[in-house]
Amino acid sequence: MRDICCGVCGNEVEPGLRRCPFCESELELVAVGQIALHKIINLKQGMPTVEQALARLDRELEQARLEQRRVLTLIHGYGSSGAGGIIRQEVRIRLQYLQHRGRISDIVIGEDFSTRSGVGLNLLRRFPVLRQHGDVNRGNLGITLVVL
Ligand SMILES: [Zn+2]
């Protein structure tokens, strides 16, 4: 029975590992029950349509709220054309709408998830566990971080 999870991505992991098999960060373990404040959510898993990806986004935000997560990494992928690019665009439009409505407090796009960016630095100060995040300073166009 598993009873620990990764402090970076929030996935439950086996004891004794040095790196998280889900997010590949060095493991800083937290006990399950003391839920990790961050979780990685892959919206492009299963090659969804834009509508499916947006419905999944809504469900995951609801679930994250129930689990009392504070910050989420959404993997939406990218592309100049095709579904990946449209999902990225539509997810970010949806997030801006939710922020406008006061349902989420902050959005940091992958391009700004950097120690060279003011918003990136601010996020890392608020959530130091994100320094272990595999995408910090990578300019990853395919992710967006959300503060609940
Ligand atoms: Zn992890």
Side-chain angles (χ1 to χ4, degrees):
M1 194 164 127
R2 297 170 177 190
D3 55 359
I4 51 172
C5 61
C6 170
V8 175
C9 71
N11 282 293
E12 289 186 25
V13 294
E14 303 286 349
L17 296 175
R18 298 205 49 167
R19 268 181 194 282
C20 174
F22 299 96
C23 70
E24 293 179 358
S25 59
E26 268 182 56
L27 276 172
E28 227 175 272
L29 298 172
V30 299
V32 167
Q34 174 210 344
I35 274 192
L37 56 86
H38 172 243
K39 187 180 188 182
I40 296 176
I41 293 163
N42 189 349
L43 293 177
K44 61 174 193 168
Q45 200 165 38
M47 303 196 51
T49 63
V50 175
E51 292 72 24
Q52 287 167 339
L54 290 175
R56 171 119 196 259
L57 171 63
D58 286 344
R59 281 199 309 276
E60 294 284 3
L61 286 172
E62 203 52 50
Q63 181 66 26
R65 244 183 273 283
L66 290 173
E67 293 173 356
Q68 299 183 306
R69 308 276 182 185
R70 299 290 315 285
V71 57
L72 303 176
T73 295
L74 304 174
I75 301 173
H76 43 62
Y78 67 99
S80 51
S81 61
I86 299 168
I87 288 173
R88 168 173 179 255
Q89 188 182 329
E90 293 297 320
V91 162
R92 287 182 173 178
I93 289 170
R94 176 96 186 124
L95 291 173
Q96 278 164 9
Y97 168 79
L98 292 170
Q99 186 181 29
H100 181 71
R101 297 279 308 267
R103 303 287 313 277
I104 59 181
S105 80
D106 258 316
I107 303 165
V108 176
I109 58 173
E111 299 93 306
D112 285 338
F113 184 44
S114 160
T115 51
R116 293 178 298 275
S117 142
V119 288
L121 266 181
N122 185 39
L123 184 72
L124 290 162
R125 284 202 194 98
R126 287 171 71 189
F127 304 105
V129 71
L130 294 179
R131 291 182 187 278
Q132 293 282 331
H133 198 299
D135 286 311
V136 69
N137 289 330
R138 292 258 173 90
N140 188 345
L141 300 167
I143 64 167
T144 299
L145 289 95
V146 173
V147 180
L148 293 173

